[in-house]
C-alpha cells in the first residue's frame, strides 16, 4: 500500500528579528481562564496523549466532556515545550515565502509514523490563538502580513496595512469631504507607492509601469481605475 505525504507547518513574519518567544507563550497560557479557547479535537483523548504521566488516574474533562482548565493549561505547556524542541530539531526545516518564515516537518497518511516534530507542530494549533500570536506565530499565514495579524509595529508597512487604514478612515467617518479625503488617502498610499498627485497623470502611469514592469492598461480590473486624463492624452497622441 502506498502512502501520501502530509506536511506540518507554522509560520512567523520573515522580518521578525527575535526568535519565537516561548516564555511569553507560557506566561499567556497561565492567564487563560476560558477553556473554550483551546482547540482540542477530542478533549479527553488529546489530554491523555499530551499528559501521559497522569496514567488515567484523574478526570480530565467535566460531565459535559469539556476539558478541565487545569489540565488544559498543563497540556498547553507540554505543547509549547514540544514545539520549542521541534523547531530546532533536524526533523524541521524552514523556507521563506511571501514575507513568512515557514517551519516545515512531515508525516505520512499511512505507513510510517509522522515525525515527532510534525506532531508537535500540529499540536500547536490546539493552543489558544492569543498564545500563538504572543509567541510570534501567525496561525493563518495565507493572509497578507499586516498589523491586524501581528506583523508588529516595528515591521515595514505593507499594502494590507494601507488598505486597512483607508477602510478604517472611511468607515469611521460620517462624511467624506472630497478634497480632504482624497488628500489623506493619497498620503496613506504614498507610504507604500509613489504618492499620487506628485506627478502629471501620464508621467505617473509611466513611472508605475516602469516600476512594476507591467502595463495596467492591459488589466481589465486596473484599467477601470485609470483617470480620464490618460484617455485624453492617448487620443491626442493618436490624432498627431
Amino acid at each position: 500500500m502506498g502512502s501520501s505525504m502530509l506536511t506540518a507547518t507554522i509560520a512567523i513574519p520573515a522580518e521578525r528579528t527575535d526568535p519565537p518567544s516561548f516564555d511569553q507563550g507560557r506566561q499567556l497560557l497561565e492567564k487563560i481562564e476560558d477553556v473554550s479557547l483551546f482547540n482540542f479535537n477530542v478533549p479527553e483523548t488529546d489530554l491523555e496523549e499530551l499528559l501521559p504521566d497522569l496514567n488515567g488516574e484523574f478526570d480530565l474533562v467535566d460531565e459535559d466532556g469539556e476539558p478541565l482548565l487545569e489540565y488544559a493549561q498543563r497540556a498547553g505547556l507540554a505543547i509549547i515545550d514540544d514545539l520549542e524542541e521541534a523547531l530546532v530539531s533536524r526533523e524541521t526545516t524552514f523556507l521563506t515565502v511571501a514575507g513568512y518564515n515557514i517551519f516545515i516537518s512531515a508525516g505520512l497518511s499511512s505507513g510510517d509514523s509522522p515525525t515527532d516534530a510534525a506532531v508537535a507542530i500540529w499540536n500547536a494549533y490546539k493552543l489558544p490563538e492569543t498564545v500563538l500570536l504572543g509567541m510570534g506565530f501567525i496561525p493563518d499565514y495565507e493572509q497578507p502580513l499586516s498589523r491586524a495579524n501581528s506583523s508588529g509595529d516595528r515591521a515595514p508597512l505593507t499594502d494590507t496595512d494601507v488598505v486597512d487604514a483607508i477602510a478604517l478612515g472611511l468607515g469611521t467617518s460620517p462624511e467624506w469631504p472630497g478634497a480632504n479625503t482624497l488628500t489623506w488617502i493619497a498620503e496613506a498610499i504614498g507610504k507604500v507607492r509613489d504618492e499620487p498627485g506628485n506627478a502629471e497623470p501620464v508621467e505617473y502611469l509611466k513611472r508605475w509601469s516602469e516600476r512594476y514592469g507591467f502595463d495596467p492598461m492591459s488589466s481589465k480590473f486596473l484599467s477601470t481605475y485609470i483617470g480620464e486624463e490618460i484617455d485624453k492624452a492617448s487620443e491626442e497622441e493618436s490624432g498627431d
Side-chain angles (χ1 to χ4, degrees):
M1 177 184 294
S3 60
S4 56
M5 182 68 71
L6 301 175
T7 57
T9 59
I10 194 165
I12 61 174
E15 76 273 6
R16 180 184 171 97
T17 57
D18 298 325
S21 179
F22 297 103
D23 286 340
Q24 173 77 357
R26 295 181 181 100
Q27 293 170 16
L28 289 171
L29 195 61
E30 293 177 358
K31 298 177 182 179
I32 296 294
E33 297 181 354
D34 183 356
V35 74
S36 70
L37 297 176
F38 289 86
N39 299 297
F40 297 117
N41 297 319
V42 182
E44 187 168 16
T45 300
D46 287 347
L47 293 176
E48 287 175 350
E49 291 177 353
L50 290 163
L51 302 171
D53 292 344
L54 296 180
N55 295 319
E57 298 177 5
F58 302 90
D59 292 327
L60 305 180
V61 298
D62 62 20
E63 58 186 13
D64 296 319
E66 293 297 318
L68 298 176
L69 181 59
E70 174 189 354
Y71 296 116
Q73 289 176 321
R74 288 174 62 176
L77 289 173
I79 290 172
I80 292 174
D81 290 345
D82 290 344
L83 182 63
E84 183 175 18
E85 182 177 343
L87 296 191
V88 297
S89 76
R90 297 179 63 183
E91 295 178 347
T92 302
T93 188
F94 79 88
L95 54 84
T96 301
V97 178
Y100 296 97
N101 281 338
I102 303 177
F103 296 90
I104 303 172
S105 194
L108 299 174
S109 61
S110 59
D112 294 338
S113 299
T115 64
D116 290 340
V119 173
I121 293 172
W122 286 326
N123 282 340
Y125 292 97
K126 296 175 183 177
L127 293 168
E129 185 169 306
T130 54
V131 175
L132 278 176
L133 291 171
M135 291 190 289
F137 297 106
I138 297 179
D140 185 1
Y141 53 86
E142 294 181 357
Q143 296 181 1
L145 277 173
S146 70
R147 276 148 180 76
N149 67 5
S150 210
S151 173
D153 287 339
R154 293 177 298 174
L157 285 173
T158 67
D159 292 3
T160 303
D161 287 319
V162 173
V163 172
D164 286 344
I166 293 172
L168 286 168
L170 295 175
T172 58
S173 300
E175 297 180 357
W176 305 344
N180 290 339
T181 299
L182 290 176
T183 297
W184 71 252
I185 289 176
E187 290 173 349
I189 292 171
K191 297 182 184 301
V192 292
R193 294 287 189 278
D194 287 340
E195 185 170 327
N198 285 345
E200 292 298 319
V202 173
E203 177 62 22
Y204 190 86
L205 177 62
K206 178 182 178 183
R207 285 177 6 197
W208 196 100
S209 301
E210 289 175 348
R211 179 176 179 180
Y212 297 103
F214 171 74
D215 179 6
M217 296 291 286
S218 66
S219 165
K220 185 178 294 186
F221 172 74
L222 292 176
S223 62
T224 61
Y225 291 89
I226 294 174
E228 295 179 357
E229 291 292 329
I230 300 299
D231 291 331
K232 291 179 183 178
S234 298
E235 291 174 1
E236 290 174 0
E237 289 181 0
S238 299
D240 294 340

